């Protein structure tokens, strides 16, 4: 009898599937049921309120008369509580560069691959299959070849982490793009494919290939070359190299940060499936299989593997901080220079924020909620996302706190799903519906002057930028930014693996890079951005960046000036949202989209 019931199970589900309007709807229904169970479990295990009071539990900050966000000599600043959760890396702002365009991002990656000697680590959602992506693979092949032919062969290692579902879609895919590297350099190349533990059993059987990624993804975007790191929200695909606007930050000669992200990607790689030279995959020996093995055991193992990386790095940095500021052998900067250490004193602090809810790791969520909670009256928060679908917790904080908010989102025409075939083509309309509901909530609370929405638009481009800039009360420059892969939506918080960094800086030059200027520009300047060839005298670039334009599709300079104002470039391409915005014919949302959106909003 039990065997008959088990055999009848798939037949029954297939019959139910035939009664539903489509498989995506079934996926949404099953997902909603699992989400409700998950929320009930979360309520029973609600995290202690002390996490949102983390700033109050950190060591007392001395009262100083310095300007907002100016750090005291021992590096103690108002955001020091973050180092109670993650490692804190102190660097000089001269090692931090904000990139401005997809072309600059692409050219920098190729240049960094070409000069890499020890390691190349790349974590992305997927690798595209076009000529630009092939150019990137060719760069990797050339560098690996040079490492073998050198007079003194190097121990160059290449580690690539992608998502299993997205990287396996179609006959030609990320896996087939990387197979030649894996076959030719099996001892030097590792390709890991993360498979979410939530896509298993009947759910994995029923959801079609195009929609299975809605259950959960590897979404981190980390590109690392020796001791240089690029953090971004951009994937390894042609549009992200040409006309899809994102955010990017380049950390040069930051060995400790590079070591951390290498270990993090290795940790996720160890709990992922390993691509083999014959295009098969297998789990790392001794590791629980992500969708065939016990889910709870797999998630416990993954949690331990990732948290070991975070905790060991945090312990190392705490020891280093104690030695630097409190050790018996403390050197002055002049003494350090005389001893041959020419590294500038740190004026910028980097905090890696990791969110992997399937593994019960919620650091990014905790830090983001705390930042929004602690933003006082007079502070300004600039928040941008290519997919405006905030979690309820984030919406409540935006609507219920006292800071001013400028939220930049994609207009329907620059949404990545605009013009897509099938169900996906309705996704921009669903985002319009969500945007309109949020705008109505703002208006009903009388918050239009405090919370403002702006839509990004640029002909021939799409918009994928995400992040946050924080201006403290009384300050005209931001002292903190978040940059990386999270979109502040349900998926980022609950389903996917995410990573970003919080950058806290007292450097006026770096603050100016991040600043959103208030000055008006001529239409030409507005279209092309800052001109000229200003560079920072201490900057070393393997590309010889001189502010020339890229010879690729899309307008704009390939190499941005040193003092590029990141927010200014993004926000000046936007228009304010008002009630009239939603009266436009292009903003009319069909009834069926309005009805379906509440069911599927947690999947995109």
């Amino acid at each position: 009898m039990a065997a008959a019931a088990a055999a009848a199970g798939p037949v029954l589900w297939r019959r139910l599937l035939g009664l539903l309007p489509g498989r995506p709807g079934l996926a949404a229904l099953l997902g909603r049921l699992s989400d409700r169970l998950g929320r009930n479990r979360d309520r029973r295990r609600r995290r202690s309120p002390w996490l949102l009071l983390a700033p109050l539990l950190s060591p007392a900050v001395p009262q100083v008369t310095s300007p907002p966000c100016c750090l005291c000599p021992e590096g103690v600043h108002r955001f020091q509580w973050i180092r109670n959760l993650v490692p804190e890396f102190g660097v000089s702002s001269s090692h931090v560069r904000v990139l401005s365009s997809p072309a600059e991002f692409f050219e920098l990656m190729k240049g960094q691959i070409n000069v890499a000697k020890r390691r190349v680590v790349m974590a992305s959602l997927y690798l595209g299959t076009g000529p630009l992506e092939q150019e990137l693979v060719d760069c990797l092949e050339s560098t690996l070849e040079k490492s073998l032919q050198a007079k003194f062969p190097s121990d160059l290692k290449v580690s690539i982490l992608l998502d299993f579902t997205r990287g396996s879609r179609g006959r030609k895919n990320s896996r087939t793009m990387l197979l030649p590297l894996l076959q030719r350099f099996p001892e030097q190349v590792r390709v890991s494919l993360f498979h979410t533990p939530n896509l298993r059993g009947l759910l994995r059987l029923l959801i079609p290939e195009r929609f299975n990624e809605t259950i959960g993804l590897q979404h981190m975007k980390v590109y690392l070359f020796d001791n240089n790191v690029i953090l971004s929200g951009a994937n390894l695909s042609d549009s992200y190299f040409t006309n899809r606007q994102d955010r990017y930050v380049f950390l040069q000669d930051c060995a400790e940060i590079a070591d951390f992200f290498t270990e993090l990607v290795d940790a996720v790689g160890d709990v992922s499936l390993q691509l083999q030279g014959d295009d098969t995959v297998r789990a790392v020996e001794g590791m629980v299989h992500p969708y065939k093995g016990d889910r709870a055991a797999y998630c416990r193992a993954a949690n331990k593997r990732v948290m070991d990386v975070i905790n060991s790095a945090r312990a190392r940095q705490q020891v280093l901080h104690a030695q630097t500021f409190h050790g018996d052998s403390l050197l002055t900067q002049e003494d350090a220079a005389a001893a041959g250490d020419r590294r500038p004193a740190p004026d910028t602090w980097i905090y890696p924020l990791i969110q992997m809810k399937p593994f019960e790791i919620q650091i990014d969520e905790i830090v983001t909620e705390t930042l929004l909670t602690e933003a006082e009256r007079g502070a300004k928060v600039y928040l941008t996302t290519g997919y405006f679908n905030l979690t309820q917790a984030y919406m409540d904080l935006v609507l219920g706190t006292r800071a001013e908010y400028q939220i930049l989102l994609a207009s329907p025409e620059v949404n990545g799903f605009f013009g897509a075939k099938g169900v996906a083509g309705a996704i921009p309309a669903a985002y319009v519906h969500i945007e309109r509901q949020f705008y109505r909530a703002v208006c009903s609370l009388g918050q239009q002057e405090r919370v403002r929405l702006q839509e990004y638009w640029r002909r021939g481009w799409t918009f994928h930028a995400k992040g946050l800039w924080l201006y403290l009360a009384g300050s005209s420059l931001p002292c903190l930014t978040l940059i990386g892969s999270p979109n502040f939506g349900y998926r980022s918080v609950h389903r996917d693996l995410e990573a970003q960094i919080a950058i806290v800086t007292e450097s006026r030059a770096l603050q100016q890079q991040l600043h959103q200027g208030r000055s008006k520009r001529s239409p030409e300047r507005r279209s092309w951005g800052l001109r000229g060839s200003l560079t920072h005298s201490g900057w070393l670039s393997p590309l010889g960046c001189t502010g020339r334009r890229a010879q690729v599709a899309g307008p704009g300079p390939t190499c941005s000036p040193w003092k590029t104002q990141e927010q200014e470039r993004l926000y000046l391409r936007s228009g304010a949202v008002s009630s009239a915005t939603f009266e436009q014919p292009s903003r009319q949302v069909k009834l069926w989209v309005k009805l379906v959106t509440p069911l599927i909003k947690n999947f995109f």
Side-chain angles (χ1 to χ4, degrees):
M1 180 70 69
V11 176
L12 176 60
W13 278 106
R14 289 191 183 95
R15 288 177 180 173
L16 289 174
L17 181 63
L19 297 175
L20 291 171
R23 290 189 176 187
L26 177 61
L29 177 62
L30 295 174
R32 295 280 289 183
L33 291 174
S34 66
D35 291 342
R36 179 164 293 183
L37 292 173
R39 285 195 295 270
N40 290 337
R41 184 176 68 249
D42 288 343
R43 291 191 187 100
R44 291 193 299 270
R45 295 185 309 190
R46 188 176 299 276
R47 62 177 182 266
S48 173
W50 74 266
L51 291 173
L52 289 180
L53 299 177
L56 303 180
L57 299 178
S58 59
V61 180
Q63 295 297 316
V64 293
T65 58
S66 53
C69 204
C70 184
L71 313 183
C72 80
E74 289 193 355
V76 178
H77 51 79
R78 65 179 298 154
F79 303 107
Q80 67 169 348
W81 55 270
I82 304 177
R83 73 177 180 217
N84 294 334
L85 301 172
V86 296
E88 174 186 73
F89 301 98
V91 302
S92 167
S93 58
S94 63
H95 292 257
V96 181
R97 177 186 174 195
V98 178
L99 309 182
S100 63
S101 72
E104 186 179 9
F105 168 60
F106 182 52
E107 293 299 326
L108 180 60
M109 276 204 300
K110 289 193 299 178
Q112 288 293 303
I113 291 172
N114 286 334
V115 298
K117 302 298 183 187
R118 187 161 64 92
R119 59 186 172 188
V120 174
V121 179
M122 308 180 84
S124 185
L125 173 60
Y126 68 104
L127 171 70
T129 58
L132 293 182
E133 296 92 321
Q134 185 61 54
E135 192 175 337
L136 208 61
V137 174
D138 291 343
C139 284
L140 288 170
E141 182 178 17
S142 174
T143 300
L144 286 163
E145 184 66 38
K146 285 188 296 184
S147 74
L148 295 179
Q149 295 179 350
K151 184 176 181 180
F152 302 101
S154 71
D155 58 350
L156 176 69
K157 301 292 184 183
V158 174
S159 176
I160 299 174
L161 171 66
L162 305 173
D163 182 71
F164 177 90
T165 56
R166 188 62 179 271
S168 303
R169 183 196 293 177
R171 178 169 294 182
K172 185 177 182 182
N173 52 41
S174 304
R175 293 163 61 165
T176 59
M177 290 287 288
L178 294 170
L179 276 177
L181 289 183
L182 199 59
Q183 293 165 349
R184 187 174 178 190
F185 307 99
E187 301 301 318
Q188 293 175 272
V189 177
R190 178 190 191 189
V191 179
S192 304
L193 301 169
F194 174 79
H195 191 296
T196 176
N198 295 330
L199 182 63
R200 56 175 52 231
L202 198 57
L203 194 63
R204 191 173 191 272
L205 174 68
L206 293 175
I207 298 182
E209 184 179 77
R210 190 178 179 188
F211 297 96
N212 56 12
E213 67 182 70
T214 61
I215 304 304
L217 293 168
Q218 190 307 106
H219 200 245
M220 299 186 295
K221 313 325 172 31
V222 179
Y223 309 111
L224 190 154
F225 319 93
D226 290 341
N227 290 334
N228 303 327
V229 186
I230 300 174
L231 268 295
S232 179
N235 291 303
L236 297 175
S237 182
D238 56 357
S239 62
Y240 294 92
F241 304 151
T242 54
N243 63 347
R244 187 157 172 76
Q245 184 63 58
D246 216 302
R247 297 180 67 210
Y248 334 81
V249 64
F250 183 39
L251 309 176
Q252 187 193 38
D253 194 22
C254 297
E256 294 158 350
I257 299 175
D259 289 345
F260 171 83
F261 279 107
T262 297
E263 293 171 10
L264 177 66
V265 172
D266 283 347
V268 177
D270 286 347
V271 301
S272 301
L273 300 173
Q274 306 301 301
L275 182 64
Q276 306 299 304
D278 59 357
D279 200 21
T280 60
V281 295
R282 67 184 182 198
V284 172
E285 186 176 355
M287 175 54 61
V288 182
H289 197 281
Y291 65 87
K292 293 180 180 179
D294 180 74
R295 181 186 181 280
Y298 171 80
C299 291
R300 283 196 302 270
N303 173 284
K304 182 179 186 305
R305 185 70 181 85
V306 174
M307 288 307 300
D308 282 349
V309 170
I310 295 172
N311 290 331
S312 62
R314 187 164 67 93
R316 287 196 305 268
Q317 293 306 116
Q318 286 176 338
V319 170
L320 179 63
H321 183 274
Q323 291 175 344
T324 302
F325 294 114
H326 305 292
D328 294 335
S329 60
L330 180 64
L331 296 176
T332 66
Q333 191 167 0
E334 293 77 10
D335 292 335
D341 187 354
R342 299 184 180 277
R343 291 179 298 176
D347 58 5
T348 300
W349 283 259
I350 309 292
Y351 301 93
L353 308 180
I354 312 303
Q355 182 75 12
M356 300 179 179
K357 185 67 176 289
F359 306 154
E360 299 298 331
I361 298 172
Q362 299 167 248
I363 297 170
D364 181 66
E365 178 186 3
I366 293 168
V367 172
T368 302
E369 288 185 2
T370 305
L371 290 173
L372 299 182
T373 300
E374 294 296 311
E376 72 272 31
R377 187 184 303 278
K380 295 182 177 66
V381 177
Y382 290 80
L383 186 150
T384 182
T385 174
Y387 305 112
F388 183 71
N389 186 17
L390 301 182
T391 65
Q392 190 62 49
Y394 291 162
M395 281 195 289
D396 290 344
L397 287 170
V398 170
L399 295 174
T401 52
R402 296 173 296 176
E404 296 179 20
Y405 283 85
Q406 290 264 15
I407 301 176
L408 180 63
L409 47 98
S411 65
E413 296 80 7
V414 300
N415 186 292
F417 292 97
F418 186 75
K421 297 179 181 179
V423 176
I427 291 178
Y431 281 115
V432 170
H433 182 57
I434 294 169
E435 177 188 353
R436 184 171 191 170
Q437 288 182 316
F438 181 79
Y439 183 77
R440 284 175 174 171
V442 171
C443 294
S444 67
L445 295 171
Q447 301 288 330
Q448 301 95 310
E449 295 301 314
R450 189 181 65 83
V451 180
R452 303 187 184 195
L453 300 181
Q454 294 179 243
E455 289 187 354
Y456 181 96
W457 184 88
R458 186 175 183 182
R459 187 183 300 278
W461 284 58
T462 56
F463 185 71
H464 196 249
K466 66 281 300 261
L468 177 152
W469 300 260
L470 176 61
Y471 294 65
L472 297 180
S475 176
S476 60
L477 295 174
C479 64
L480 177 146
T481 190
L482 302 182
I483 181 169
S485 64
N487 281 298
F488 305 104
Y490 186 92
R491 287 195 57 123
S492 291
V493 172
H494 294 275
R495 296 188 182 279
D496 299 340
L497 307 190
E498 306 279 10
Q500 66 179 340
I501 56 174
I503 302 176
V504 178
T505 183
E506 66 171 356
S507 163
R508 189 170 183 85
L510 181 53
Q511 289 176 353
Q512 191 68 35
Q513 283 193 80
L514 300 170
H515 173 55
Q516 187 259 329
R518 294 294 184 187
S519 60
K520 299 292 185 180
R521 287 185 176 184
S522 66
E524 182 184 21
R525 294 276 317 257
R526 180 183 174 111
S527 173
W528 286 99
L530 290 172
R531 296 186 182 275
S533 57
L534 296 175
T535 58
H536 188 273
S537 59
W539 183 252
L540 300 177
S541 169
L543 301 177
C545 186
T546 60
R548 295 169 298 175
R549 295 179 193 166
Q551 300 302 313
V552 296
T558 180
C559 295
S560 65
W562 167 252
K563 292 187 177 179
T564 294
Q565 296 174 345
E566 186 189 31
Q567 275 198 20
E568 188 173 46
R569 286 183 296 98
L570 295 175
Y571 276 75
L572 282 179
R573 291 189 181 275
S574 69
V577 173
S578 67
S579 299
T581 302
F582 303 103
E583 302 303 321
Q584 300 173 17
S586 62
R587 304 307 175 91
Q588 302 307 303
V589 180
K590 295 179 180 180
L591 178 61
W592 74 267
V593 175
K594 294 180 181 179
L595 295 176
V596 170
T597 297
L599 291 174
I600 65 173
K601 66 181 294 186
N602 293 344
F603 294 88
F604 60 84

